[in-house]
Amino acid sequence: MYQVDNAVIMAAGTSSRFAPLSYEKPKSLITVKGEVLIERQIRQLQEVGIRDIVVVVGYQKDKFAYLKEKFGVTLVENDSYLSRNNNASIYAVKDRLRNTYICSSDNYFAQNPFESQVEESYYAAVYADGETQEWCLETDEDGYITGAQVGGENSWYMLGHTFWSEKFSKKFVEILDDVYDDPATADLLWETIYIRHLPELKMKMRKYPEGQIFEFDTLDELREFDPTYWDDTRSAIMKAVARQLSCSEKEMVHIAAYKDGNNAAAGFTFAVGNRQYRCHYADQAIKEI
């Protein structure tokens, strides 16, 4: 058994798909069923005795500052969050990785999944009954991950936290150091780097039952989990658009981010009744499409 040394919560990204709420604050700072997402996760870690918690910040980093005093966490900045994928967040804390939980700040755990001692490295997984576009896993007879691909059906897929033993951490950092300066690495998830080196990085799949791990990529998905967001999105942008169209927030559905020619978040599209609209973020100009 490995005694858990610490936890890293990755919170640097822009969560552009979560428009327009993510324009106003990082997704991990929204309140879900009465609790701020990242605060709930920090409490769950502390409940099992994990006190050394590092939060990797980037986008709107100043909004996380209060966590230092409230929970005693350490903030580490990923200053490459706009130019690199989440491998940059791992790189920013590479010297802190030992027997470590790696967490995404926007996951909601219905029950506390964390433990003070862990048997071996693993990635959390849930079952897709039908088709999914998530990372679907293949394992050997002992439960070790032997392959993964984006998309599949009736399959276990990656969702939630992962635990790295000190041996796993050391090996992953060696590989990351080796490939980090390759321009082709910038856009890669750390999971992609891991999957490309499966023979060197042994990790099990840990299965979780339905209804334990949640992730909300869009406002529509959040509304299904927390229905209070139907009538009140807590978004000044949504409220302003609703006033312009003389509709309620609840009537605005099928919300999706769109990007400009530079691949930067430009605004969001949505529907009201049978009409489709586009809202430009910079000036909140609305256009029917």
Side-chain angles (χ1 to χ4, degrees):
M1 297 291 287
Y2 296 99
Q3 184 69 39
V4 178
D5 294 310
N6 57 8
V8 170
I9 303 177
M10 297 187 294
T14 62
S15 301
S16 59
R17 288 185 293 173
F18 204 68
L21 276 65
S22 57
Y23 299 154
E24 300 169 70
K25 66 169 64 174
K27 183 168 65 166
S28 58
L29 294 179
I30 66 169
T31 298
V32 178
K33 294 193 173 182
E35 292 182 273
V36 175
L37 273 177
I38 196 169
E39 290 187 15
R40 178 181 175 87
Q41 198 170 124
I42 292 169
R43 289 190 189 98
Q44 289 175 324
L45 287 162
Q46 292 181 339
E47 283 171 5
V48 298
I50 301 170
R51 297 291 171 180
D52 183 356
I53 301 172
V54 178
V55 179
V56 185
V57 298
Y59 174 64
Q60 297 190 9
K61 62 183 180 181
D62 293 344
K63 292 186 177 179
F64 293 94
Y66 80 98
L67 294 173
K68 293 187 291 184
E69 182 175 351
K70 186 169 184 178
F71 294 103
V73 302
T74 300
L75 302 186
V76 172
E77 184 177 357
N78 167 11
D79 57 9
S80 301
Y81 72 93
L82 282 176
S83 59
R84 301 185 68 99
N85 214 316
N86 67 3
N87 67 77
S89 288
I90 299 296
Y91 194 80
V93 295
K94 64 177 184 175
D95 294 335
R96 299 171 182 263
L97 301 176
R98 298 188 295 280
N99 296 320
T100 304
Y101 278 117
I102 307 291
C103 309
S104 296
S105 62
D106 56 355
N107 285 143
Y108 182 100
F109 301 110
Q111 295 182 7
N112 193 338
F114 302 114
E115 304 163 300
S116 60
Q117 293 183 319
V118 182
E119 185 175 349
E120 55 191 317
S121 301
Y122 72 83
Y123 205 119
V126 299
Y127 190 74
D129 188 6
E131 293 186 3
T132 178
Q133 290 304 308
E134 302 291 343
W135 282 94
C136 296
L137 296 172
E138 301 171 3
T139 60
D140 63 19
E141 60 184 10
D142 295 318
Y144 287 99
I145 297 170
T146 57
Q149 63 178 16
V150 177
E153 59 180 345
N154 302 323
S155 175
W156 290 93
Y157 65 90
M158 291 175 161
L159 181 66
H161 58 296
T162 180
F163 172 76
W164 296 7
S165 70
E166 187 166 5
K167 180 180 179 181
F168 185 101
S169 294
K170 182 179 179 180
K171 188 61 183 180
F172 188 87
V173 169
E174 288 177 2
I175 293 169
L176 185 60
D177 277 335
D178 188 50
V179 303
Y180 196 77
D181 291 331
D182 183 342
T185 300
D187 289 337
L188 299 181
L189 294 165
W190 78 255
E191 288 91 340
T192 304
I193 298 171
Y194 155 65
I195 289 165
R196 290 180 177 180
H197 295 84
L198 285 176
E200 304 162 80
L201 296 167
K202 291 193 69 174
M203 175 182 282
K204 280 194 170 183
M205 174 177 71
R206 178 178 284 195
K207 299 176 181 179
Y208 284 83
E210 183 180 2
Q212 293 301 309
I213 304 175
F214 296 90
E215 184 178 60
F216 319 107
D217 287 330
T218 65
L219 176 57
D220 289 324
E221 290 181 3
L222 174 60
R223 282 168 157 177
E224 291 301 315
F225 186 75
D226 185 345
T228 64
Y229 276 86
W230 282 106
D231 292 317
D232 181 8
T233 61
R234 289 76 150 171
S235 165
I237 295 173
M238 289 283 286
K239 294 180 189 303
V241 171
R243 286 194 297 270
Q244 289 186 59
L245 295 179
S246 299
C247 68
S248 67
E249 293 174 70
K250 187 174 184 177
E251 292 176 274
M252 299 169 62
V253 296
H254 306 312
I255 299 160
Y258 75 91
K259 298 182 178 182
D260 62 18
N262 297 318
N263 205 35
F268 63 102
T269 59
F270 62 96
V272 177
N274 59 1
R275 294 186 173 185
Q276 302 287 325
Y277 296 91
R278 174 178 289 176
C279 177
H280 189 254
Y281 169 57
D283 54 13
Q284 292 180 29
I286 303 168
K287 178 181 179 181
E288 187 170 358
I289 54 178

